[in-house]
Amino acid sequence: MDLFRSQVQHNLGFDARRTNANYFLPLAKSDMLLRELNSLDMMHAQETIKIAVLYVGPGQWTEMEILSNTQRDTSQAYRNFVQSLGWSIDLATFNGFTGKLERDGSDGKTCPYFFDEGVEVVFHEAAAMPTNKDDIRQIKKKRHIGNDHVHIIWNESHHNYRPETISGDFGNVQIQIRPLEPGEYGIGMYCDEQVKPFGPLVNGMVISADVLPIAVRAAAINGHRRATQVFFKTFMHPFAMRQEAINRIVEKHVNTSWL
């Protein structure tokens, strides 16, 4: 073991004299160890968030109408906004977080995605998902949208969007965007009572087009975190979860004969 520490010090720059003697612990190789290491590799190091994006067209009121929208039904302003939330990824080839979207094309070929230090965000854009003309309820879309804590609603209808429009237990934070004068957008905020306040958006704000996607994305991420704290009292950051998993693997598979 002393020889191993010396080699690590020489090759990797660790100072074995200043390092705890148990800093390097050899593990006993086994099939179970390899399986657990594979499982560890599948754990995300970043925080992963999925957010719904809905387009409400002129005169639309119901869940069925909204979920039945396709890209052709949306406006150019809406499409520009979605493109500004992140960038498009190819679900079939992308190796990162996909927000539980299938890679076989059944949920669409691409989706909006954002990555920053410590966080990955997938936007479930309902209008970009395949629309099944034989299913008025659009169950396949609802399977994703209905399980997202945060809904971003682009509203081009003549009335306020009702928080209960998309049925279910989620949609705990809803950010409504209404086009006003050219280049200006009104913001409506809805949160479940248990969700603590967050920013940077507040109800009734009017913001310009150049800051709209950045501000909405930041509010959606913060809203997701607040909603998660309500539903999961023991929520742990992925970094902490990975550390716990590593500690369990080491404790179970340490090779004491080397110590």
Side-chain angles (χ1 to χ4, degrees):
M1 190 63 181
D2 290 339
L3 177 60
F4 170 76
R5 291 196 184 100
S6 298
Q7 289 294 326
V8 170
Q9 177 186 356
H10 176 74
N11 294 319
L12 301 180
F14 287 98
D15 189 344
R17 295 167 298 178
R18 298 183 180 180
T19 302
N20 185 298
N22 292 325
Y23 190 89
F24 302 105
L25 294 174
L27 303 181
K29 186 176 180 180
S30 66
D31 290 341
M32 180 178 291
L33 172 63
L34 296 178
R35 286 196 298 271
E36 293 184 5
L37 290 176
N38 286 333
S39 297
L40 179 66
D41 287 341
M42 295 175 65
M43 295 180 65
H44 293 282
Q46 296 86 13
E47 183 181 10
T48 54
I49 296 174
K50 49 192 182 72
I51 295 168
V53 181
L54 299 164
Y55 173 82
V56 183
Q60 291 185 337
W61 283 85
T62 67
E63 174 181 293
M64 289 186 294
E65 291 173 324
I66 294 167
L67 292 183
S68 294
N69 282 326
T70 68
Q71 287 280 41
R72 292 183 178 181
D73 300 315
T74 65
S75 65
Q76 186 63 52
Y78 163 81
R79 293 192 291 273
N80 292 342
F81 165 73
V82 172
Q83 290 173 2
S84 300
L85 288 174
W87 52 91
S88 180
I89 59 169
D90 186 327
L91 289 170
T93 59
F94 185 64
N95 293 323
F97 176 63
T98 61
K100 297 187 177 181
L101 296 175
E102 298 293 344
R103 301 178 185 273
D104 60 4
S106 60
D107 291 322
K109 295 182 178 180
T110 64
C111 75
Y113 170 87
F114 175 76
F115 174 83
D116 199 357
E117 185 176 357
V119 63
E120 287 183 89
V121 183
V122 164
F123 295 93
H124 289 158
E125 186 192 359
M129 297 179 182
T131 300
N132 184 353
K133 296 181 180 180
D134 296 325
D135 179 13
I136 61 172
R137 298 177 61 194
Q138 300 302 322
I139 295 298
K140 197 161 180 59
K141 291 186 181 184
K142 179 69 179 293
R143 179 168 60 91
H144 295 292
I145 304 299
N147 285 289
D148 292 335
H149 287 292
V150 179
H151 292 178
I152 299 172
I153 301 101
W154 183 279
N155 188 0
E156 294 184 5
S157 186
H158 60 274
H159 60 83
N160 285 326
Y161 179 86
R162 296 169 298 168
E164 67 275 12
T165 300
I166 304 297
S167 60
D169 296 328
F170 290 80
N172 317 104
V173 172
Q174 299 180 18
I175 305 170
Q176 181 183 176
I177 305 165
R178 298 196 66 171
L180 302 175
E181 298 296 325
E184 293 185 347
Y185 297 88
I187 301 297
M189 300 291 294
Y190 165 82
C191 301
D192 286 352
E193 290 183 4
Q194 309 96 311
V195 176
K196 295 180 180 179
F198 59 90
L201 298 179
V202 296
N203 191 47
M205 287 183 70
V206 175
I207 62 177
S208 61
D210 57 337
V211 300
L212 179 68
I214 299 172
V216 170
R217 185 177 62 219
I221 291 173
N222 291 336
H224 174 89
R225 289 169 175 163
R226 289 300 197 192
T228 301
Q229 291 170 0
V230 172
F231 277 77
F232 304 99
K233 303 297 184 182
T234 58
F235 172 76
M236 292 178 63
H237 193 279
F239 289 131
M241 294 178 64
R242 281 180 61 86
Q243 184 62 62
E244 275 202 354
I246 291 171
N247 292 342
R248 289 195 299 268
I249 291 172
V250 171
E251 183 178 351
K252 186 186 299 185
H253 299 284
V254 64
N255 190 341
T256 57
S257 63
W258 273 52
L259 301 179

